Amino acid sequence: MSALTARFDVPLDRNAPRAARHAATAVLAGWGFRDETWLDTAAVVISELVTNAVNHGGGCVEVRLESHEERVTVFVADGSSVVPRRREPDDRGGRGIALIEAMASGWGLRDHEGGKQVWVDLELCPGREIPSGPQR
Amino acid sequence: MSALRLEVTGELDLATAPPLLDRVRAATADQPAAIVLDLAGVFFCDSSGINALIDAQSYAAARGIPLRVVNAQRVTRRALEVTGVLPLLSGA
């Protein structure tokens, strides 16, 4: 199976995290990632990334999903260079990072068109049903 | 006096955290002996939701009203566990 990609923009307001995670999990389910627990986990990660963009960014956030074989990476880019930081665990901002670190296999940052892009590698999805191509 | 039980449903995130806090603030006005937030109907919770639950508990505690969270399910429970707040919110 080759790479699958999807990208969409979400206007940054209080409803952005919900809109983004619902759209993203619909795409992921369509790619055959249908394990409910895994999709719930993906939804938390995406919600955290977009919430961070709402709190620190402006305008729109760009969500990009990439699947290479069994691996899924989520990219969220916004126009802010404010970097999410791990703080004390009892600190409000630290809980978002703690959730991402607990629910994903890795994450990082890169510069993106004057702002930043956060990427998160999701854990492998159990029991993925790979969509089959047309029968020959 | 028995505890006031509030059933919370749907998704807890940036959009729904403020109404949840408003609901708890309103509930404390009647000075119940305790408040129980029943999360059985909550099917999503991220850090905004967790912060709202912590804030609700602090707000009630400042008015002498113990507040605890029960019946967190699936991803909500996992989110509370991995951030280490489940014992605090459960009143354990």
Side-chain angles (χ1 to χ4, degrees), chain A residues 12-121:
Chain A
L12 285 180
D13 62 25
R14 300 191 79 82
N15 297 308
R18 181 173 193 270
R21 67 178 183 264
H22 284 207
T25 50
V27 168
L28 292 168
W31 288 351
F33 298 96
R34 300 217 174 95
D35 182 82
E36 274 191 41
T37 302
W38 186 89
L39 285 171
D40 283 348
T41 301
V44 170
V45 168
I46 291 155
S47 202
E48 290 304 330
L49 295 177
V50 175
T51 298
N52 183 69
V54 174
N55 289 335
H56 299 293
C60 271
V61 68
E62 180 196 279
V63 178
R64 183 178 173 87
L65 304 170
E66 287 185 14
S67 164
H68 298 275
E69 305 293 342
E70 300 302 293
R71 277 261 152 238
V72 174
T73 306
V74 180
F75 302 83
V76 173
D78 64 50
S80 162
S81 57
V82 177
V83 166
R85 252 176 308 191
R86 174 182 252 303
R87 288 168 274 191
E88 292 305 305
D90 61 342
D91 180 276
R92 313 177 60 77
R95 291 195 187 104
I97 300 283
L99 281 174
I100 289 171
E101 289 188 340
M103 295 188 172
S105 60
W107 69 283
L109 294 157
R110 60 192 192 195
D111 293 334
H112 180 79
E113 296 172 9
K116 69 169 181 301
Q117 186 180 57
V118 186
W119 58 265
V120 176
D121 283 332

Side-chain angles (χ1 to χ4, degrees), chain A residues 18 21-22 47-48 95, chain B residues 11 13-14 46-47 51 74:
Chain A
R18 181 173 193 270
R21 67 178 183 264
H22 284 207
S47 202
E48 290 304 330
R95 291 195 187 104
Chain B
E11 300 170 278
D13 69 357
L14 194 63
D46 63 13
S47 67
N51 290 337
R74 297 170 52 92

